[in-house]
Amino acid sequence: MRSFSSLFAMVALLAANTVGAAALTPSQLGLVVNDDEPNSVAIAELYRAAHRIPAANIAHVRIPNRPRKISAAAFEELKKEIDRQLPAEVRATLMVWTAPYAVECNSITSAYTNGFDAEQCVKTCGPGKESPFFDKAPAVQLSLPTNAGRISMLLPTDSVEQARALIARGTVRYMTPPPSTAYYLVTSEVARNSRAQFFPRNGKLSAKNLTVKQMKSDALDGAQDIIIYQTGMARVAKLDTLHFMPGALADHLTSTGGQLLEDYQMSSLRWLEAGATASYGTVTEPCNYWQKFPNPVLLLKNYISGATAIEAYWSSVAWPAQGVFIGDPLAAPYKQGD
């Protein structure tokens, strides 16, 4: 893959891949509710009402005891039950729970979308398989045959109030974008800087009122205008000093950010708790292949063109088998119209 480090190259790609009304709509999103978890039921209803999801697009399953990981066999039955209930028109799914987030060594979102990859589990540090959604504009994603899978995301359910706030952030649309900044941090944890080669250079996209800022630092401190924050750290400090714009995306390249309910490294849930609207992390040791994490320019390019968070994130990860996508999939602050 060629380098996207030039801001001017990014702008050219942006101009050539405008999204607009081609982005995912609420009528194309399916909600999956765990009826064994009261918070899942309550938050799914909040989400349905906020985004006006059709009643026909809701699937009900039962997953007792919130296991963090399930077997491939159990997942196969779960997927059959979900797919049986969702209309053919549904092109993306939102699983309304925090756990399970893993299917053996795969994330549950990648297993659902691209199929369970048993080969990745033989060597989790080995290369992955390229996703059919990688480097695809949303209009192309939506036109792929249904056997390509439905892109998917998790909406965490540990707190109804936090979920309510996240959903509210995900409904914001900008008629005139306010000043905001996409931050890219090259850190002292050298092994976690593998995607820094793709960080866009400093500059300003005037049409979006957006500043792009690349920094050598281990953490942002006090930034109040974040629309994207991408870094490489096992734990990201000073999140409590920051303000994320509605719809902000944030993630850190580290081994186990997708182990949402564990604390060996910083869980990707911390981004949502700090005010981001969507994030990403790996559920098993991936090693530091940049292909297993969101590509900075592809993520930025599609998102500020009007893509939803789920489309922008799925378009940005080449080898997503181990990565779980979390947050509000329909967040699209730059989308014009309904």
Side-chain angles (χ1 to χ4, degrees), residues 61-270:
V61 298
R62 289 193 175 277
I63 310 171
N65 304 319
R66 301 180 75 218
R68 300 178 183 185
K69 180 188 298 186
I70 59 176
S71 69
F75 170 74
E76 183 178 357
E77 294 305 311
L78 177 65
K79 186 177 188 302
K80 287 179 181 177
E81 183 61 18
I82 294 169
D83 290 346
R84 182 186 66 79
Q85 297 179 61
L86 293 179
E89 296 76 18
V90 166
R91 300 309 306 266
T93 57
L94 177 62
M95 303 173 196
V96 188
W97 60 70
T98 305
Y101 47 78
V103 179
E104 299 186 17
C105 85
N106 290 200
S107 77
I108 197 168
T109 52
S110 64
Y112 180 81
T113 298
N114 289 337
F116 176 70
D117 185 356
E119 293 180 16
Q120 187 74 80
C121 297
V122 175
K123 186 177 181 182
T124 63
C125 264
K129 296 177 181 177
E130 185 161 309
S131 167
F133 299 97
F134 176 62
D135 199 10
K136 298 292 193 303
V140 177
Q141 290 185 30
L142 296 178
S143 68
L144 290 175
T146 54
N147 62 7
R150 294 172 168 134
I151 53 178
S152 57
M153 187 170 269
L154 293 188
L155 179 60
T157 56
D158 285 358
S159 165
V160 173
E161 288 311 306
Q162 287 181 7
R164 188 193 306 274
L166 186 151
I167 293 166
R169 298 194 295 271
T171 62
V172 172
R173 302 287 184 271
Y174 297 141
M175 294 297 293
T176 301
S180 59
T181 301
Y183 293 93
Y184 302 94
L185 271 60
V186 181
T187 74
S188 62
E189 296 185 359
V190 177
R192 296 186 174 91
N193 291 328
S194 59
R195 62 178 172 176
Q197 61 186 303
F198 300 110
F199 285 172
R201 296 173 185 168
N202 293 343
K204 189 172 179 67
L205 299 177
S206 298
K208 303 297 181 180
N209 209 3
L210 175 74
T211 300
V212 175
K213 185 175 292 188
Q214 184 182 144
M215 306 167 58
K216 289 186 177 180
S217 177
D218 283 353
L220 286 179
D221 186 358
Q224 300 296 297
D225 61 348
I226 304 168
I227 194 65
I228 290 181
Y229 183 178
Q230 291 188 294
T231 185
M233 292 288 289
R235 294 184 180 275
V236 182
K238 303 183 179 179
L239 293 181
D240 60 339
T241 73
L242 307 177
H243 174 73
F244 291 83
M245 306 294 287
L249 310 180
D251 57 75
H252 58 311
L253 192 156
T254 196
S255 297
T256 59
Q259 293 182 7
L260 301 179
L261 297 177
E262 299 181 31
D263 196 42
Y264 172 66
Q265 296 176 339
M266 189 183 95
S267 165
S268 297
L269 289 179
R270 303 291 87 79

Side-chain angles (χ1 to χ4, degrees), residues 293-325:
F293 294 88
N295 178 283
V297 167
L298 292 178
L299 184 68
L300 177 63
K301 170 177 71 80
N302 282 313
Y303 202 48
I304 67 175
S305 295
T308 60
I310 191 172
E311 292 166 307
Y313 258 128
W314 269 97
S315 74
S316 74
V317 184
W319 302 343
Q322 294 161 272
V324 63
F325 300 85

